[in-house]
Amino acid sequence: MQYAVAPILCVQPTRALVDEKFKVLVKNLPPGRPFTVRSLHLSEDKDYWEAYGHYVSDHQGELSVRDDLSFGGTYTGREPMGLLCTMCPIPGSRPGLRLRKKDVTTPMLVTISVYSGHEDHRDQTPLASVVTERWYMAPGVQRFPLQQSEVRGTLFVPPGPGPFPGMLDMWGGGGGLLEYRGALLASHGYACLSLEYFKPGELETANQQYNHPQVNPDRVGIFGLSLGSAVTLNLATESAIPRCVVCVSSNNIFSRDMSIVTAYTNLSKYESLLVFTLLVEKIRCPMLCISGCDDQNWPAVEIVDNMMETLRAAGKDHLLTRVDYPDAGHLIEPPFTPHFRSTNFLRTKMGEKRILMLWGGQTKPHSDAQEDSWRKILSFLQHNLYGNDRP
């Protein structure tokens, strides 16, 4: 197709935090013609990820990803952030991939391109392209790796004099030190310690965060996902330090040797649940529990049901705020990140055997849950950690 005037692709902003929305607008197109808008990202593991929507230019020769309908691709309908939240590995990629940022000091580079027609865009040269930067660390956020041999973690401190409310950030059973959510929380004003807590002594040493001059020791919260939520709940029952806790895909089964019981199919069969339920009565701070109703990893909704009943009997149900998302899965992460119904997972107790883990969720409702829950999490933390009075 020949164009009298070259198409113009506008992406605003081109540099933003990963939880910020962008606008994608294409101008100078022939009116009423089909076009494909695509995003492409090369991960740190050297895998290509893409998302794309099929659009039709309007009578002015423009199309807007924010305002117009996609008639096909990796998403349909009006999806302003579909180019990010529906990203998936390109055809022919390795199975079971999961997109996670390892080096938070560098941005995710995402190329947005527009192509003529709705046919296979991979065989075409784009009409126009723009490279965008998606950051987990805002300008001025400081990153301090912990050097002590008995603990592995990274402290992120927001810009400014402080002191700031503190956050302890813990991930799930996959292990390893994951920094991207901690960096993003620091970008929103919290001195956040991302902690790898599987080794002995690491939880006991985590309180060094509270002694950091940039951290307000009277305003500390804990954030846990999956297995990390069980550790979070245990700390909330045993310590007066946390002012609030956030649990995503909650698990309240916790043994005294700090190990988690996860391989169960029927909640009523486990006496350990009753033991930990008694401990739930000791929680004294506000809790926010986020659950996906299609969690295929464990019954997170039923676990929160059980916690609510226990707290209600103790006269403490006002401490628990719950949000359940229909058709959302287990891995509810920051917004505009891809949905993973299943991914590879390393089971260390099986001799480092890699298996395919089913997490659940459907892409559209799961993506909506990630966006909505992140707003609620930030509001919850703002109220409880930046508020004037302790709840």
Side-chain angles (χ1 to χ4, degrees):
M1 181 183 298
Q2 298 296 321
Y3 294 88
V5 181
I8 298 176
L9 173 61
C10 304
V11 181
Q12 295 179 334
T14 56
R15 188 180 194 272
L17 290 176
V18 295
D19 59 354
E20 293 182 75
K21 291 184 177 181
F22 61 18
K23 300 177 184 178
V24 179
L25 178 66
V26 189
K27 302 179 180 180
N28 294 349
L29 298 172
R33 300 297 297 269
F35 294 91
T36 297
V37 182
R38 180 201 193 194
S39 62
L40 184 66
H41 169 67
L42 178 61
S43 73
E44 291 163 314
D45 294 323
K46 305 305 178 183
D47 297 298
Y48 280 101
W49 293 71
E50 69 170 1
Y52 57 95
H54 292 158
Y55 294 90
V56 175
S57 57
D58 65 15
H59 67 282
Q60 294 181 325
E62 297 184 358
L63 71 83
S64 168
V65 171
R66 182 188 67 176
D67 301 320
D68 296 340
L69 299 176
S70 169
F71 297 97
T74 57
Y75 61 95
T76 58
R78 187 174 289 108
E79 293 293 338
M81 300 302 290
L83 290 172
L84 295 179
C85 61
T86 68
M87 272 192 165
C88 54
I90 64 173
S93 298
R94 297 175 294 148
L97 295 177
R98 184 175 176 185
L99 182 59
R100 310 180 88 173
K101 193 74 175 77
K102 297 177 181 178
D103 182 4
V104 297
T105 64
T106 63
M108 291 181 61
L109 299 179
V110 181
T111 300
I112 309 298
S113 302
V114 59
Y115 300 83
S116 177
H118 292 167
E119 293 75 26
D120 192 352
H121 52 269
R122 301 180 191 93
D123 295 332
Q124 295 187 42
T125 299
L127 303 175
S129 295
V130 172
V131 177
T132 67
E133 297 181 6
R134 306 292 294 179
W135 288 83
Y136 283 94
M137 280 181 63
V141 171
Q142 300 180 78
R143 176 181 177 273
F144 300 102
L146 302 184
Q147 303 298 326
Q148 290 78 0
S149 59
E150 67 272 18
V151 63
R152 183 171 181 236
T154 304
L155 178 65
F156 294 94
V157 179
F164 304 97
M167 287 294 299
L168 181 61
D169 184 37
M170 293 179 291
W171 284 88
L177 176 60
L178 300 174
E179 299 182 353
Y180 58 93
R181 190 172 63 196
L184 189 57
L185 287 169
S187 300
H188 286 279
Y190 302 94
C192 190
L193 175 61
S194 297
L195 183 68
E196 182 182 13
Y197 54 89
F198 279 5
K199 298 177 182 177
E202 290 189 339
L203 283 176
E204 290 80 356
T205 313
N207 62 6
Q208 63 183 286
Q209 177 207 39
Y210 313 135
N211 299 322
H212 193 281
Q214 294 284 79
V215 179
N216 184 340
D218 297 323
R219 295 178 182 269
V220 173
I222 309 177
F223 194 140
L225 178 143
S226 189
L227 185 147
S229 70
V231 183
T232 295
L233 288 171
N234 185 71
L235 292 174
T237 63
E238 299 298 330
S239 172
I241 290 177
R243 186 165 176 147
C244 65
V245 297
V246 176
C247 294
V248 178
S249 303
S250 304
N251 187 348
N252 65 344
I253 298 180
F254 200 96
S255 67
R256 295 188 180 277
D257 64 354
M258 303 293 278
S259 64
I260 311 299
V261 179
T262 58
Y264 55 83
T265 56
N266 188 331
L267 236 56
S268 64
K269 292 182 180 179
Y270 287 85
E271 295 181 2
S272 56
L273 176 63
L274 177 61
V275 171
F276 195 85
T277 299
L278 297 175
L279 296 177
V280 170
E281 300 176 8
K282 298 168 59 178
I283 291 177
R284 65 199 79 180
C285 67
M287 296 178 291
L288 174 62
C289 291
I290 307 293
S291 306
C293 296
D294 189 38
D295 190 328
Q296 298 295 310
N297 196 250
W298 57 51
V301 172
E302 289 81 358
I303 288 172
V304 179
D305 287 342
N306 181 273
M307 291 171 53
M308 180 65 82
E309 292 176 6
T310 302
L311 290 170
R312 185 178 294 114
K316 292 185 175 183
D317 53 308
H318 64 284
L319 292 176
L320 176 57
T321 300
R322 67 181 301 175
V323 187
D324 301 334
Y325 292 100
D327 294 322
H330 186 77
L331 298 179
I332 300 176
E333 298 208 53
F336 317 133
T337 54
H339 161 242
F340 309 99
R341 185 167 178 82
S342 61
T343 65
N344 293 325
F345 188 81
L346 189 65
R347 293 291 298 270
T348 55
K349 290 186 178 181
M350 300 173 65
E352 301 292 328
K353 182 178 181 180
R354 191 174 298 275
I355 62 174
L356 190 66
M357 184 73 77
L358 179 61
W359 307 111
Q362 303 298 323
T363 297
K364 166 62 176 171
H366 188 93
S367 299
D368 290 345
Q370 292 191 150
E371 182 178 355
D372 184 73
S373 64
W374 187 247
R375 288 197 300 262
K376 286 181 167 60
I377 288 168
L378 292 181
S379 177
F380 176 81
L381 296 178
Q382 173 74 27
H383 175 74
N384 288 288
L385 297 182
Y386 272 103
N388 292 325
D389 299 317
R390 181 163 184 155

